[in-house]
Amino acid sequence: SQTIHQWPATLVQPVGSPLSLECTVEGTSNPNLYWYRQAAGRGLQLLFYSVGIGQISSEVPQNLSASRPQDRQFILSSKKLLLSDSGFYLCAWSGWAEQYFGPGTRLTVT
Amino acid sequence: AQSVAQPEDQVNVAEGNPLTVKCTYSVSGNPYLFWYVQYPNRGLQFLLKYITGDNLVKGSYGFEAEFNKSQTSFHLKKPSALVSDSALYFCAVRVTGANNLFFGTGTRLTVIP
């Protein structure tokens, strides 16, 4: 069966510091991968998606970037965090139809 | 353009009563429709989907949803609510050939003991 992992689970970082969040998927190959941000426990904002290694589509221009160095690895990064980057970050993968989500990373920028 | 509306931010229901969480959608093309549930500080869990076929689809934990093409709706239902059903529920839509899901803003369901 397929599983999706995210780490770290929680992170507290000062403004201006770099960020790296990692997502890995097991049990499937060539998945579509997605990064979402959820603010205040509510709506989901799609940040990036990837249909293959090195292929990244950005949905919202912002302080973040994404990379997919391996088929089942998706990384969300920032060079300098802003207060507004705080939120709950979710990674997801999809096969043919539905998406499956990881457990999330709670990021607090102080 | 694709969009999903969940008109109720909050739904309260007594334990044992039937529950309905509403969702309407707007797409250009044939929709794939989904429901997800989210518990506090957790990722979204897939509940059910409509792709084609029978308009009534059954999913996890006793939930079901009915696809109504004329009303462009996909309401989530359960005959008898449990306190453990209290959570945040998201409706989502995807158009054939698209990579992305479009999510509603979520409905917080509270089941009162």
Side-chain angles (χ1 to χ4, degrees):
Chain A
S1 64
Q2 300 85 6
T3 55
I4 180 169
H5 305 278
Q6 287 186 244
W7 62 88
T10 60
L11 191 59
V12 180
Q13 293 282 97
V15 168
S17 64
L19 173 73
S20 181
L21 303 182
E22 188 166 344
C23 170
T24 59
V25 181
E26 297 177 355
T28 185
S29 59
N30 198 32
N32 289 348
L33 295 172
Y34 306 82
W35 278 112
Y36 291 88
R37 178 169 58 202
Q38 184 179 30
R42 208 64 185 193
L44 295 170
Q45 179 186 32
L46 178 64
L47 301 175
F48 301 95
Y49 73 92
S50 171
V51 299
I53 295 174
Q55 301 178 64
I56 308 295
S57 296
S58 175
E59 291 296 304
V60 183
Q62 54 202 326
N63 187 41
L64 302 171
S65 62
S67 62
R68 185 170 177 175
Q70 300 180 43
D71 181 45
R72 287 169 287 181
Q73 184 184 33
F74 204 22
I75 297 172
L76 183 69
S77 303
S78 173
K79 293 182 179 178
K80 289 186 178 182
L81 283 168
L82 306 172
L83 284 175
S84 58
D85 292 325
S86 293
F88 193 48
Y89 287 82
L90 291 161
C91 181
W93 74 272
S94 72
W96 181 73
E98 64 268 28
Q99 292 181 9
Y100 295 95
F101 286 78
T105 295
R106 173 76 58 193
L107 171 66
T108 303
V109 183
T110 60
Chain B
Q2 285 71 239
S3 66
V4 176
Q6 293 182 242
E8 300 159 317
D9 284 345
Q10 175 80 42
V11 170
N12 297 327
V13 63
E15 185 178 21
N17 282 3
L19 69 87
T20 298
V21 183
K22 295 179 181 178
C23 172
T24 59
Y25 65 90
S26 174
V27 300
S28 51
N30 292 321
Y32 295 168
L33 294 156
F34 308 86
W35 275 103
Y36 289 83
V37 60
Q38 185 181 31
Y39 296 98
N41 295 310
R42 303 288 292 275
L44 276 67
Q45 295 179 33
F46 169 72
L47 279 178
L48 52 79
K49 66 184 176 187
Y50 170 82
I51 303 297
T52 187
D54 194 347
N55 289 343
L56 183 65
V57 294
K58 296 185 183 295
S60 306
Y61 312 121
F63 284 94
E64 59 188 29
E66 185 168 11
F67 171 63
N68 187 318
K69 188 173 183 178
S70 62
Q71 297 185 5
T72 62
S73 66
F74 190 57
H75 301 331
L76 181 70
K77 300 181 180 184
K78 187 173 182 180
S80 178
L82 301 173
V83 173
S84 57
D85 293 329
S86 298
L88 187 57
Y89 289 81
F90 289 96
C91 181
V93 65
R94 180 186 148 197
V95 178
T96 311
N99 288 314
N100 301 339
L101 295 185
F102 292 88
F103 284 86
T105 52
T107 297
R108 191 166 301 281
L109 173 68
T110 301
V111 181
I112 302 165

